[in-house]
Amino acid sequence: LRANQRQELERLRSDKERSSAKKLENEVVKLAKIHANELSNLRDSLERAAAETIRGIKRESNEQRKREVEEALQGMKANQNQENIRMRNDIMKEANQTIAEREYDLKAAHTRQIEKLKAELNDASSRTLASEIEKVKRAHNIELDKVAKEVELFYVERIETLKRDIRNQNSE
């Protein structure tokens, strides 16, 4: 009976992990597409604004106009930096939300499994069951920590890539 229960728990955990991983992967792809589109739009907007500014400089060559253009470019850079910060914060917020949802789902699944075990084995072997439940809880907590670290690492790497892309974009 225990072996069957362990196999069933392992199958349920595996199914839940696959489902969660697929959902997380889909969300990450979706976020990456959205942010890539936003970056592209921002880049296009900045290029149009810079091109317009350059045309204005060519038309008006006095020093006052050049200073105004330089101030406008600095303002655009400041706006771009603010947008970069906002996007980074959005990514972190979404990552934290995804982690929280995944933890919630895993905890709910684990709680259901534990409650099922408690209901099925409420007899003389309850001490052994309690021990097994604690083992399952510890294993699941370790698993949750691992998943949270993996997701956090993924988003940290993604943010670093975005920062690098933005720096490259700024240097162009």
Side-chain angles (χ1 to χ4, degrees):
L1 179 62
R2 282 191 192 158
N4 286 340
Q5 288 173 343
R6 284 188 185 122
Q7 287 176 347
E8 181 63 20
L9 280 174
E10 183 61 31
R11 186 190 63 75
L12 289 172
R13 184 185 64 73
S14 178
D15 288 348
K16 187 62 179 176
E17 284 178 353
R18 279 194 299 276
S19 171
S20 294
K22 184 65 178 174
K23 181 179 177 184
L24 180 60
E25 180 181 331
N26 289 341
E27 287 298 321
V28 168
V29 168
K30 181 179 173 183
L31 286 173
K33 287 179 182 178
I34 290 170
H35 290 294
N37 191 27
E38 288 178 356
L39 285 173
S40 177
N41 290 342
L42 180 61
R43 183 183 309 115
D44 291 346
S45 173
L46 288 173
E47 287 174 355
R48 283 191 303 273
E52 183 62 34
T53 302
I54 290 170
R55 282 191 294 274
I57 290 173
K58 288 180 181 178
R59 279 185 250 124
E60 300 177 28
S61 62
N62 67 39
E63 289 299 314
Q64 179 62 30
R65 181 66 182 149
K66 289 180 183 178
R67 282 193 297 274
E68 289 174 2
V69 169
E70 186 61 36
E71 289 172 7
L73 286 173
Q74 291 300 326
M76 283 189 269
K77 286 181 182 178
N79 287 342
Q80 182 181 12
N81 287 337
Q82 289 173 352
E83 182 65 16
N84 291 341
I85 290 169
R86 183 196 64 79
M87 287 172 50
R88 183 174 48 237
N89 289 339
D90 287 350
I91 289 172
M92 289 306 296
K93 181 180 175 183
E94 291 173 16
N96 288 336
Q97 183 178 359
T98 300
I99 290 169
E101 288 171 359
R102 190 165 178 193
E103 284 179 351
Y104 177 81
D105 290 345
L106 285 173
K107 284 180 182 178
H110 297 163
T111 301
R112 285 190 302 272
Q113 290 172 353
I114 290 168
E115 291 304 318
K116 182 180 175 184
L117 282 174
K118 283 181 181 178
E120 291 175 356
L121 299 174
N122 194 11
D123 61 7
S125 65
S126 64
R127 286 187 192 134
T128 304
L129 174 61
S131 172
E132 289 298 318
I133 289 172
E134 286 305 314
K135 287 179 187 176
V136 169
K137 283 183 181 179
R138 283 192 298 274
H140 289 191
N141 286 335
I142 290 169
E143 183 180 324
L144 283 174
D145 290 343
K146 180 181 172 188
V147 167
K149 287 177 184 175
E150 288 173 0
V151 171
E152 180 181 355
L153 178 61
F154 171 80
Y155 279 104
V156 166
E157 289 172 355
R158 180 68 181 134
I159 288 172
E160 290 302 318
T161 301
L162 285 173
K163 284 180 184 178
R164 199 169 34 255
D165 291 348
I166 290 168
R167 281 194 296 270
N168 290 340
Q169 194 176 28
N170 284 342
S171 66
E172 293 173 1

